[in-house]
Amino acid sequence: MPRKTPFNAASEPFREMGATLKTQLDFIFKPKSVAVIGASNNRQRWGHGTLQSVIRAGFRGNIYPIHPKEKVIQGFTAYASVLDVPGEIDLAVFIVNAEQTVKAMEECARKGVKGAVVITAGFAEIGNSGKEMQNAMVNIARRSGMRFVGPNCLGIWSSAVSLDCCFYKAPLAGPIAFVSQSGTLGEYLLEIALEKGYGFSKFISSGNQADLDVCDYLEYLSEDQDTKTIVLYLEGVRDGRRFLDISQKVIREKAIIMYKAGRTSAGMRAAMSHTASLAGNHELFEAACRQAGIIRSTNILEAFDVAEALAHQPLPRGNRVAVTSGGGGFCVTTADACAAYGLEVPELDSDTQRRILSLLHAYSPPPKNPVDMIARKGPMSHAEIIEILAGLDYIDGIIMTPPWGGFHRDTPAEFMKELIDSAERIAQVPQRFGKPIISAGAREYRKHPIYEILKKGEIPFFEGPDTCARAMQGLVQYARAREHARARG
Amino acid sequence: MPRKTPFNAASEPFREMGATLKTQLDFIFKPKSVAVIGASNNRQRWGHGTLQSVIRAGFRGNIYPIHPKEKVIQGFTAYASVLDVPGEIDLAVFIVNAEQTVKAMEECARKGVKGAVVITAGFAEIGNSGKEMQNAMVNIARRSGMRFVGPNCLGIWSSAVSLDCCFYKAPLAGPIAFVSQSGTLGEYLLEIALEKGYGFSKFISSGNQADLDVCDYLEYLSEDQDTKTIVLYLEGVRDGRRFLDISQKVIREKAIIMYKAGRTSAGMRAAMSHTASLAGNHELFEAACRQAGIIRSTNILEAFDVAEALAHQPLPRGNRVAVTSGGGGFCVTTADACAAYGLEVPELDSDTQRRILSLLHAYSPPPKNPVDMIARKGPMSHAEIIEILAGLDYIDGIIMTPPWGGFHRDTPAEFMKELIDSAERIAQVPQRFGKPIISAGAREYRKHPIYEILKKGEIPFFEGPDTCARAMQGLVQYARAREHARARG
């Protein structure tokens, strides 16, 4: 049975976050039941993979494959139409062709389906005939109160109910929400993020945004308990004013990191033929976003690194960083990178230098900042030095390499134990001192026992000095932006 | 028996590359026999690991552990002194303390040892007492004609004889030579490079450079058959004029990519306490390097990516790039990145667009460049489009994502075969057309069968659009620099 239309149908899109939008989108991101329209037993069909993803990622609600003829698909009872499904359906995922989508959506409206993800392509992006079908679909949705993602998208991931209708390998669950106007790039990036160990609360491939658009997602995510940080890949924004207004509100609580594509003429040309997005005046838009407090990224991979830091670490009060490593080269390159990103690496006062020197062997280089710990007296000195640095009122955050050494089979047990204890003390520093720590290490080190300890402390982990500094800059940027946004009220 | 001193002892360092320097350094990088002075059976000692590394990496020449008491170390006959070794010794590796090093070096001189790698620290970097010992060591070497690396370094790797005296895991053999003024950073970077699959001809941790310095290494590497590209991590240069003169000669044949540390005041302070390097006027030095044709990198990890491309791909004639992918988002972000790195992404002429369109389905986005291949007609279309692009006289290089799709267990055999054939055709394009191809893909894709094919074609492989564009820029930069260097004569 169709629910009552909760808004002024077809004329007025949602302008304010309210219980209504939240309720509507919860049906999409926290459904109790999912119908897969176009599910298939034929492994060559997209509908096979989509149902596979839903099952494999571990969705525990009801799953209803919809297919005109099959009785059982991948072990689940199949139905010819959503109208034949005995229970209620919160969410319908569409992977039939465009014509069939319109017809099936009518049936969904009659059934009272509450939300949809329309993966199907062949709508507005192919021209007038597609545009008509897209409008028809929007009208059905408006009439019935159904909201939908897409069309012409890759699907969604929602950690809240382990719902994956797009990826071969589901993302890890975690605090980053990612809204992407590109499906394949989104998939690609999530694959890299998975390798890096980053977790996601939501992935939303927004597609043609015929109904729900990036502004709706932002509103929804701003109150989403699972989301701490939002990454946007945008090729164009329909309503720039609304986007900025909503963003200003969102960043009072959560950071937004945006890669806006089409910042050059070649990029604009590509965006145009990709999603027919009019990139508009890029510089004006960027300036407005900066003013709104959105963190802009010009390197889409790096956007996730910054998001990872923002999702896990306390915000610094300023831009003053201590750099420390068990090796001089890392100290030098990180100090350079910090300066390049507008971070200060203040020289330590002489009293602090003396305190740190007492934890180092006599032949150590002077610990002015950066602090080269190559000749620390023992594993615990590592933690003690980090604590001294974190305790300084003129240090706002720390970039370090962790105490990796000494996990060979001949490492004495006492030494190993001290290393572990040291890492555990370091892992508590961000909480204890309210200051962020960013850590560096080759990816291979993620197999290292110390990494597990840092991970429990939510200390973000990056490969190179440059990325560490960029992530710290992101923390500084957001700390300032949030302060301004809250001051504005 | 000591060889005749081949140069004006102690006064005049080498100023020209000649047979002499090559002969001398071949004893270090292509030794037939290696003595490990300070080799140990005690797993807690550095000398244990060093000998382990030599054995494990597969050095096939004679290995002589030197230890005052032990008779057998790690299965090899040990000697109390190099003077007791029955055969000739080309190279001695030192990991005893500084005092013992001076004494053992005297013995090496008497024995006629030809080269040394002095890992031992505690020389000039600790002050006057160390400086005296360092001078003593230099005098011994000058008298006997022995040349040496270090002291206060991590050691060397040489692929020519699989000699590794520094790393727990030996690097892969390949065409990049890396000279690093930081040992631990060098080790760290090599670890990341190993993960990325990059291969090295030499790693030289240059340390205090008491005898051999970066200029000597550059001269030697310029004629080293195993080396195609040289990466330098420098904290300071003793003789800037000589460095620039040699570099200008080297880049007629091989690219030099340099990370010069200490480009900011914090970095300079760190470099000072790390290797006592006076960074000097960074901007002047950078300008001089640019003029000499050295490729500068401000991101040390990225330096290896650029080196990887330069070691394997033909040089482009200009900066005009075609971008192609099976997904619009990659096209957009790569086009943006290209523009940011000063590369042009020219719009394709209408005839070429028509030819490419015939290989795409009707609903494809217009292939103006970037070319989105999401709807290519079959796997072979991928190769055909790449060939069309490579054949254009206004395209100098290609950035692409490879034809990954379709290696699931249900992929039809014919489709899979066509994919492989397509990749093989693409792998031949750089050779056939004399134009570089740079490829993108998550690291996980290195397990993909298509990756193996690209690797045979030496097509470099990077994770993100930004790195692909940076690497292409590196090729363009070097092509120009080499042209200028050769024109200068």
Side-chain angles (χ1 to χ4, degrees):
Chain A
M1 196 174 48
R3 285 164 303 136
K4 213 176 135 202
T5 307
F7 60 95
N8 193 350
S11 66
E12 187 70 271
F14 287 92
R15 294 281 162 189
E16 285 141 25
M17 178 61 182
T20 315
L21 183 66
K22 183 180 182 314
T23 311
Q24 292 176 326
L25 269 66
D26 273 350
F27 287 121
I28 295 175
F29 295 107
K30 297 175 182 175
K32 291 198 175 64
S33 51
V34 172
V36 179
I37 299 173
S40 177
N41 275 322
N42 177 348
R43 289 169 189 249
Q44 303 306 323
R45 308 301 294 249
W46 195 306
H48 180 274
T50 303
L51 181 57
Q52 269 280 300
S53 298
V54 172
I55 297 166
R56 219 165 15 195
F59 178 71
R60 310 304 295 165
N62 292 321
I63 298 174
Y64 303 114
I66 309 296
H67 187 279
K69 286 177 210 142
E70 301 277 1
K71 297 299 168 213
V72 174
I73 301 180
Q74 297 180 40
F76 286 79
T77 305
Y79 301 89
S81 152
V82 290
L83 295 170
D84 302 325
V85 171
E88 285 196 24
I89 300 173
D90 285 347
L91 178 68
V93 178
F94 288 79
I95 49 279
V96 288
N97 70 28
E99 289 81 6
Q100 287 171 310
T101 296
V102 179
K103 182 172 164 285
M105 196 160 251
E106 278 286 7
E107 292 173 352
C108 285
R110 282 166 57 199
K111 172 73 181 172
V113 172
K114 285 122 183 167
V117 173
V118 185
I119 294 174
T120 307
F123 289 98
E125 81 280 6
I126 64 155
N128 281 338
S129 62
K131 197 154 193 174
E132 273 171 36
M133 285 191 291
Q134 182 166 310
N135 288 341
M137 196 163 63
V138 172
N139 286 332
I140 296 164
R142 291 273 193 271
R143 271 202 325 269
S144 71
M146 190 193 309
R147 303 305 304 263
F148 70 93
V149 179
N152 184 28
C153 74
L154 198 72
I156 62 164
W157 150 259
S158 175
S159 68
V161 291
S162 297
L163 176 65
D164 171 23
C165 66
C166 33
F167 302 114
Y168 183 71
K169 273 193 225 169
L172 296 172
I176 304 170
F178 178 33
V179 183
S180 176
Q181 214 171 327
S182 175
T184 53
L185 185 74
E187 183 174 21
Y188 179 77
L189 295 174
L190 268 285
E191 188 137 346
I192 291 174
L194 186 66
E195 285 176 40
K196 289 187 180 180
Y198 300 169
F200 290 79
S201 59
K202 308 272 182 295
F203 168 70
I204 306 168
S205 169
S206 59
N208 290 6
Q209 306 189 86
D211 175 28
L212 293 166
D213 71 3
V214 65
C215 296
D216 300 310
Y217 300 130
L218 273 178
E219 282 198 20
Y220 181 72
L221 293 170
S222 73
E223 301 202 355
D224 179 38
Q225 304 270 345
D226 300 326
T227 299
K228 288 190 188 162
T229 303
I230 302 164
V231 176
L232 305 177
Y233 169 83
L234 298 183
E235 297 195 344
V237 175
R238 204 153 39 192
D239 184 344
R241 170 53 43 209
R242 186 176 165 225
F243 174 75
L244 292 168
D245 285 348
I246 292 174
S247 296
Q248 278 192 358
K249 284 177 204 158
V250 172
I251 66 148
R252 281 182 217 151
E253 303 303 330
K254 298 175 189 184
I256 301 175
I257 301 144
M258 178 187 76
Y259 181 97
K260 168 67 174 61
R263 61 196 153 94
T264 61
S265 63
M268 258 188 258
R269 189 168 63 233
M272 189 58 177
S273 53
H274 181 217
T275 52
S277 291
L278 274 171
N281 185 319
H282 180 71
E283 278 162 30
L284 271 181
F285 183 72
E286 287 273 297
C289 288
R290 188 168 47 240
Q291 215 171 348
I294 295 170
I295 297 172
R296 288 140 316 120
S297 176
T298 56
N299 177 331
I300 183 67
L301 293 190
E302 185 187 87
F304 287 99
D305 298 326
V306 176
E308 177 72 2
L310 277 161
H312 293 292
Q313 285 292 293
L315 293 179
R317 287 166 313 163
N319 71 337
R320 297 160 302 176
V321 178
V323 175
T324 175
S325 172
F330 181 86
C331 288
V332 178
T333 49
T334 306
D336 277 346
C338 282
Y341 284 112
L343 304 170
E344 283 178 50
V345 184
E347 188 161 336
L348 301 178
D349 63 274
S350 53
D351 180 52
T352 301
Q353 290 193 42
R354 264 193 303 275
R355 285 170 67 203
I356 292 175
L357 262 176
S358 72
L359 299 163
L360 302 172
H361 287 296
Y363 55 90
S364 289
K368 294 183 176 176
N369 190 23
V371 176
D372 185 354
M373 288 194 201
I374 186 118
R376 60 190 172 277
K377 280 180 178 163
M380 195 48 77
S381 310
H382 207 115
E384 286 164 359
I385 292 171
I386 298 276
E387 286 174 350
I388 289 172
L389 294 169
L392 296 170
D393 59 8
Y394 57 90
I395 291 298
D396 303 313
I398 296 169
I399 300 178
M400 66 161 197
T401 54
W404 296 123
F407 276 90
H408 306 292
R409 66 179 163 184
D410 310 299
T411 312
E414 267 313 304
F415 185 88
M416 206 181 274
K417 188 175 169 307
E418 196 182 322
L419 260 176
I420 292 170
D421 290 345
S422 176
E424 278 171 352
R425 265 176 68 176
I426 293 169
Q428 289 162 13
V429 166
Q431 283 288 334
R432 268 186 63 200
F433 293 84
K435 293 181 182 179
I437 296 185
I438 305 280
S439 167
R443 292 195 197 185
E444 183 70 14
Y445 292 2
R446 279 209 301 272
K447 298 171 193 164
H448 198 287
I450 292 295
Y451 174 71
E452 287 303 315
I453 296 169
L454 298 180
K455 216 171 108 187
K456 273 181 214 151
E458 301 201 336
I459 292 178
F461 180 84
F462 306 116
E463 210 163 30
D466 214 71
T467 313
C468 289
R470 176 65 184 100
M472 186 64 85
Q473 182 203 28
L475 291 173
V476 172
Q477 284 181 323
Y478 179 56
R480 284 180 187 152
R482 193 179 70 171
E483 201 177 310
H484 290 158
R486 287 180 174 181
R488 270 194 304 258
Chain B
M1 194 173 51
R3 285 163 303 137
K4 212 175 138 203
T5 306
F7 60 97
N8 193 351
S11 66
E12 187 69 273
F14 287 92
R15 293 282 162 187
E16 285 142 27
M17 177 62 182
T20 315
L21 182 65
K22 183 180 182 314
T23 311
Q24 291 176 325
L25 269 66
D26 273 350
F27 287 121
I28 295 175
F29 295 108
K30 296 175 183 174
K32 291 196 176 66
S33 51
V34 173
V36 178
I37 300 174
S40 177
N41 276 322
N42 178 347
R43 289 169 187 248
Q44 303 306 323
R45 310 300 295 246
W46 195 306
H48 181 274
T50 303
L51 181 58
Q52 268 279 301
S53 298
V54 172
I55 297 166
R56 218 165 14 194
F59 177 71
R60 310 302 297 164
N62 292 321
I63 298 174
Y64 303 114
I66 309 296
H67 187 278
K69 289 177 206 141
E70 301 276 1
K71 298 301 167 208
V72 174
I73 301 180
Q74 298 179 39
F76 286 80
T77 304
Y79 301 89
S81 153
V82 291
L83 296 170
D84 303 324
V85 171
E88 287 195 22
I89 299 173
D90 285 347
L91 177 69
V93 178
F94 287 78
I95 52 276
V96 287
N97 70 29
E99 290 81 7
Q100 288 172 312
T101 297
V102 179
K103 182 173 164 286
M105 195 161 249
E106 278 287 8
E107 293 173 352
C108 285
R110 284 166 56 200
K111 171 75 181 173
V113 172
K114 285 121 181 167
V117 174
V118 185
I119 294 174
T120 305
F123 290 97
E125 80 281 6
I126 63 154
N128 281 338
S129 62
K131 196 154 194 176
E132 273 171 37
M133 285 191 290
Q134 182 166 311
N135 288 341
M137 195 164 63
V138 172
N139 286 332
I140 297 165
R142 290 276 193 267
R143 274 201 325 269
S144 70
M146 190 194 307
R147 304 303 307 263
F148 70 92
V149 179
N152 183 27
C153 74
L154 197 72
I156 61 164
W157 150 259
S158 175
S159 68
V161 292
S162 297
L163 176 66
D164 170 23
C165 67
C166 35
F167 302 113
Y168 183 73
K169 272 193 226 171
L172 296 172
I176 303 171
F178 178 33
V179 183
S180 176
Q181 214 170 326
S182 175
T184 52
L185 185 73
E187 183 175 21
Y188 179 75
L189 295 173
L190 268 286
E191 188 137 347
I192 291 174
L194 186 67
E195 284 176 39
K196 288 186 179 179
Y198 301 169
F200 290 79
S201 59
K202 307 273 183 294
F203 167 71
I204 307 168
S205 170
S206 59
N208 290 6
Q209 307 189 84
D211 174 29
L212 294 166
D213 71 3
V214 64
C215 295
D216 300 311
Y217 300 131
L218 272 179
E219 282 198 22
Y220 180 72
L221 293 170
S222 73
E223 300 203 355
D224 179 37
Q225 303 271 344
D226 301 325
T227 298
K228 288 190 188 161
T229 303
I230 302 164
V231 176
L232 306 177
Y233 169 83
L234 299 183
E235 297 195 345
V237 176
R238 205 153 38 195
D239 184 344
R241 169 52 45 209
R242 188 178 162 225
F243 174 75
L244 291 168
D245 284 348
I246 292 173
S247 296
Q248 276 190 0
K249 284 178 202 156
V250 172
I251 65 148
R252 283 182 215 150
E253 303 303 329
K254 299 177 188 184
I256 301 175
I257 302 144
M258 178 186 75
Y259 181 97
K260 169 67 173 59
R263 61 196 153 95
T264 61
S265 63
M268 259 188 255
R269 189 168 65 233
M272 189 59 175
S273 53
H274 181 216
T275 53
S277 293
L278 276 169
N281 185 319
H282 181 71
E283 277 163 31
L284 270 181
F285 183 73
E286 286 274 298
C289 289
R290 187 169 48 241
Q291 214 171 349
I294 294 171
I295 296 171
R296 290 141 314 122
S297 176
T298 55
N299 176 331
I300 183 66
L301 294 190
E302 184 188 86
F304 287 99
D305 298 326
V306 176
E308 177 73 3
L310 276 161
H312 293 292
Q313 285 291 293
L315 293 178
R317 289 167 310 164
N319 70 338
R320 297 160 302 177
V321 178
V323 174
T324 173
S325 172
F330 181 86
C331 288
V332 177
T333 50
T334 306
D336 276 346
C338 282
Y341 284 111
L343 305 171
E344 282 177 50
V345 184
E347 187 160 338
L348 302 177
D349 63 273
S350 53
D351 181 50
T352 301
Q353 289 193 43
R354 263 193 302 277
R355 284 169 68 203
I356 292 175
L357 261 177
S358 72
L359 298 162
L360 302 172
H361 287 296
Y363 55 90
S364 290
K368 293 183 176 177
N369 190 24
V371 176
D372 184 353
M373 288 195 200
I374 186 118
R376 59 190 172 277
K377 280 182 177 162
M380 195 48 77
S381 310
H382 206 115
E384 286 164 359
I385 292 170
I386 298 277
E387 286 174 350
I388 290 171
L389 294 169
L392 296 171
D393 59 7
Y394 57 90
I395 291 297
D396 303 313
I398 296 169
I399 300 177
M400 66 161 198
T401 53
W404 296 122
F407 277 88
H408 305 293
R409 66 179 163 184
D410 310 298
T411 312
E414 267 313 304
F415 186 89
M416 206 181 274
K417 188 175 168 305
E418 197 182 322
L419 259 176
I420 292 170
D421 290 345
S422 175
E424 279 170 350
R425 264 176 69 176
I426 293 169
Q428 289 162 12
V429 165
Q431 282 289 334
R432 268 187 62 200
F433 292 84
K435 293 182 181 177
I437 295 185
I438 305 280
S439 167
R443 292 194 197 185
E444 183 70 14
Y445 292 2
R446 280 209 301 272
K447 300 172 192 163
H448 198 286
I450 292 295
Y451 174 71
E452 288 302 315
I453 297 169
L454 298 179
K455 215 172 110 187
K456 274 182 214 151
E458 300 200 336
I459 292 178
F461 180 84
F462 305 116
E463 209 163 31
D466 213 69
T467 314
C468 289
R470 176 65 184 100
M472 186 64 85
Q473 183 203 28
L475 291 172
V476 172
Q477 283 180 324
Y478 179 56
R480 283 179 187 153
R482 192 178 72 170
E483 201 177 310
H484 290 159
R486 288 180 173 179
R488 270 194 304 259

